[in-house]
């Protein structure tokens, strides 16, 4: 038999149960895909979140390597040199 806790039903009635009832200030500038991604990250366990951070780190590292290659290529092709007048 479930017993009610005094004051809980009043608390619940005062606080909306739907998160979209009023937009939060931190959501300003975020599109629905961004907010969905934040909710997905929020539902992860600590180890799941760590795994996602490691994936992001690996992607950032790979992008850095590719950027370094392109900068080196631009240097050898003299694309990035300044023209002197």
């Amino acid at each position: 038999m479930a017993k009610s806790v005094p004051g809980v039903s009043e608390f619940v009635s005062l606080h909306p149960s739907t998160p979209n009832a009023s937009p939060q200030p931190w959501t300003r500038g975020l599109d629905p895909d961004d907010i969905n991604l934040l909710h997905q990250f929020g539902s992860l366990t600590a180890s799941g979140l760590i795994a996602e951070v490691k994936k992001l780190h690996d992607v950032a590292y790979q992008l850095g390597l590719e950027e370094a290659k392109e900068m080196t290529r631009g240097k050898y092709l003299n694309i990035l040199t300044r023209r002197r007048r």
Side-chain angles (χ1 to χ4, degrees):
M1 173 185 261
K3 294 183 180 182
S4 64
V5 178
V8 171
S9 54
E10 292 85 15
F11 177 81
V12 170
S13 66
L14 292 175
H15 293 78
S17 61
T18 58
N20 296 333
S22 62
Q24 298 294 320
W26 57 265
T27 62
R28 202 172 311 131
L30 297 177
D31 62 23
D33 290 334
D34 295 334
I35 294 171
N36 186 28
L37 186 61
L38 286 174
H39 286 293
Q40 288 176 3
F41 286 150
S43 67
L44 294 174
T45 63
S47 60
L49 190 59
I50 289 171
E52 287 296 320
V53 169
K54 286 180 181 180
K55 285 182 199 175
L56 289 172
H57 178 268
D58 292 343
V59 168
Y61 182 77
Q62 290 298 321
L63 286 173
L65 290 177
E66 290 176 26
E67 182 68 16
K69 288 179 188 176
E70 293 299 321
M71 293 298 289
T72 302
R73 180 180 294 153
K75 178 182 167 186
Y76 288 132
L77 295 174
N78 292 323
I79 294 173
L80 302 175
T81 58
R82 293 183 182 177
R83 293 185 181 154
R84 295 183 184 168
R85 297 181 182 188

